[in-house]
Amino acid sequence: MNGTDPEMIADGRRRKGERRRRLLLDAVMRVVERDGVAAVSQRRVAAEAGVAPSAVTYYYAAVDDLLVDALTRVNDTYVAALATLPDDADAALRALAGMIAVGPERAHVMAECELFLLAARRPALRPQIERWNRAVDAFLAPHVPDPDDRAGVCAAVDGLFVRACTEPGLTVEEVYRTLSRLVSRNGRAALR
Amino acid sequence: MNGTDPEMIADGRRRKGERRRRLLLDAVMRVVERDGVAAVSQRRVAAEAGVAPSAVTYYYAAVDDLLVDALTRVNDTYVAALATLPDDADAALRALAGMIAVGPERAHVMAECELFLLAARRPALRPQIERWNRAVDAFLAPHVPDPDDRAGVCAAVDGLFVRACTEPGLTVEEVYRTLSRLVSRNGRAALR
DNA sequence: TAGAATCTGGTGCGAACGCTCAGGTTTATT
DNA sequence: AATAAACCTGAGCGTTCGCACCAGATTCTA
């Protein structure tokens, strides 16, 4: 994320502004979770955050910018999470599966997916996509050395994210099983 | 698709109606292609089809129904296309890659992707998702016999669809390469 | 303490939205 | 020719939307 840690800002005015920004972004996420990206509007977010509609305009010139910022933040958390997964292949895959198949907390997963589709149309989000792709690729690199093999596993990770959106009942066990199969077939163990 | 072939309907009135319905659905696809699912509205579709706004309401009680119908049709074409792919593994994968990486004609690919995300919220679209998943699974079954291995390849297919949306420059060659790698690693050839 | 920067909430405009409805046109049936 | 069914439309109602504008409150700097 481009945002500096709010607590590190000296100026108390700006600090309050940053806090306010977070309030709005959290509200956006709640709206996305409940009604989807399409339902995100200036007024609705304001109502969700308990704030005057004009406050949204104050911090974001257009609602579109708000959306971009919110989805960027979601991507941040995922990229960061990928970077801190354990080194051990099995443990890492299990953790990744846990990130994908999260029953009730689907909001972030769906937001990440909607980010992908949104990026297909909005150039402003393209860098986020590339960041995500690079992060997945880097995470898999140690376990699936061959780039061509890795491309398939990367695609599968994306596909599993989508499936997690469409199938709320998807379990961590299922995702883990699929992932570990893929890695064992395409990864180190399969190399001759 | 539930719709009967319009040309087979005896009643000229209904036939005209069916033609009209197609006109609207084509307009929807054009709007989706240009501005995304979010931009689909009664008035916009009507304008795109060169029809009075009330005409949309006449054929579809709510715009949501229009969207469901349009996306269902897209899914129809994909499911049908999957069913008629050649038996030969290599030829089939090449054809599938051609379905995914279609440069300018991305509209249908994106529509299929948006269908997936929409279905995450609308129960009316759930059956379409399951139909798609079954179709992919059935297509891959001869080439990737083991169900657990197949799950990974299925996920990768979905992921490649998403990637085709976010990367307009994705080539058929790249997709084919990835797919054939996956199948050779997970499929018949890899079995012991 | 003065002044600048930041924040806040209220009001309102123009546009687009979904949807209803009364009534007119076309086509099929009898 | 008469009746009915299906098709089609223009006008319009009520709602929501994004955004602009601005007066006043708050907060920091000097």
Side-chain angles (χ1 to χ4, degrees):
Chain A
M1 239 289 290
N2 45 11
T4 330
D5 185 351
E7 307 311 318
M8 291 302 290
I9 298 176
D11 195 326
R13 293 172 297 186
R14 290 176 182 274
R15 195 161 51 214
K16 189 175 181 184
E18 278 303 318
R19 234 181 296 130
R20 203 76 188 216
R21 234 177 265 265
R22 285 205 177 184
L23 198 72
L24 290 177
L25 292 178
D26 289 346
V28 169
M29 288 309 299
R30 258 174 283 138
V31 172
V32 171
E33 170 171 33
R34 205 185 322 115
D35 307 310
V37 165
V40 172
S41 73
Q42 183 207 42
R43 287 166 149 88
R44 214 186 275 248
V45 169
E48 181 71 32
V51 158
S54 53
V56 176
T57 308
Y58 177 77
Y59 288 102
Y60 295 93
V63 287
D64 217 75
D65 302 333
L66 175 60
L67 210 49
V68 168
D69 206 357
L71 295 178
T72 298
R73 271 194 195 217
V74 176
N75 200 30
D76 285 341
T77 68
Y78 277 108
V79 170
L82 275 184
T84 60
L85 287 182
D87 286 340
D88 173 60
D90 198 66
L93 290 185
R94 199 169 278 280
L96 177 57
M99 285 171 51
I100 294 175
V102 282
E105 275 280 346
R106 273 196 311 159
H108 289 72
V109 179
M110 297 193 63
E112 180 77 4
C113 286
E114 309 220 37
L115 159 72
F116 268 68
L117 281 210
L118 227 58
R121 303 190 187 279
R122 313 198 192 199
L125 288 173
R126 186 64 47 89
Q128 297 301 325
I129 294 292
E130 284 158 17
R131 212 154 66 92
W132 164 254
N133 286 338
R134 267 198 308 273
V136 174
D137 194 74
F139 161 70
L140 287 175
H143 313 116
V144 185
D146 184 279
D148 286 328
D149 286 338
R150 205 157 64 232
V153 183
C154 283
V157 170
D158 288 355
L160 286 171
F161 262 89
V162 174
R163 187 151 306 197
C165 292
T166 59
E167 285 182 26
L170 196 66
T171 69
V172 178
E173 234 45 53
E174 290 174 276
V175 176
Y176 166 73
R177 190 188 188 79
T178 302
L179 283 174
S180 70
R181 265 296 176 113
L182 274 170
V183 170
S184 70
R185 292 279 196 224
N186 297 275
R188 285 228 126 79
L191 286 185
R192 327 100 217 272
Chain B
M1 239 283 293
N2 45 9
T4 329
D5 184 353
E7 306 313 316
M8 291 303 290
I9 298 176
D11 195 326
R13 292 172 300 186
R14 290 178 182 273
R15 196 161 51 212
K16 189 175 180 183
E18 277 304 317
R19 233 181 297 132
R20 201 79 182 212
R21 232 178 269 264
R22 284 203 178 183
L23 198 73
L24 291 177
L25 292 177
D26 289 345
V28 169
M29 288 311 298
R30 256 173 286 140
V31 173
V32 171
E33 169 172 32
R34 204 186 322 117
D35 307 308
V37 165
V40 172
S41 72
Q42 182 208 40
R43 286 165 148 89
R44 214 187 274 248
V45 169
E48 181 70 34
V51 158
S54 51
V56 176
T57 308
Y58 178 76
Y59 288 102
Y60 295 94
V63 288
D64 217 74
D65 301 334
L66 175 60
L67 211 50
V68 168
D69 207 358
L71 294 179
T72 298
R73 273 195 193 215
V74 177
N75 201 28
D76 284 342
T77 68
Y78 277 107
V79 170
L82 276 183
T84 60
L85 286 182
D87 287 340
D88 174 60
D90 198 67
L93 290 185
R94 198 168 278 281
L96 177 58
M99 284 171 53
I100 294 174
V102 282
E105 275 281 346
R106 273 197 311 159
H108 289 74
V109 178
M110 298 192 64
E112 180 78 3
C113 286
E114 308 219 37
L115 159 72
F116 268 67
L117 281 212
L118 225 58
R121 303 191 186 279
R122 314 198 189 198
L125 287 173
R126 186 64 46 90
Q128 297 300 326
I129 295 292
E130 284 159 16
R131 212 154 67 93
W132 165 254
N133 286 339
R134 268 199 307 273
V136 175
D137 194 74
F139 160 71
L140 287 175
H143 314 116
V144 185
D146 184 280
D148 286 328
D149 287 337
R150 206 159 62 233
V153 183
C154 282
V157 170
D158 287 354
L160 285 172
F161 263 89
V162 174
R163 185 151 308 198
C165 292
T166 59
E167 285 182 27
L170 195 66
T171 69
V172 177
E173 236 43 54
E174 291 176 275
V175 176
Y176 165 73
R177 191 188 188 79
T178 302
L179 282 174
S180 70
R181 266 295 177 115
L182 274 169
V183 169
S184 70
R185 293 282 195 221
N186 297 273
R188 286 228 125 81
L191 286 185
R192 329 101 216 271

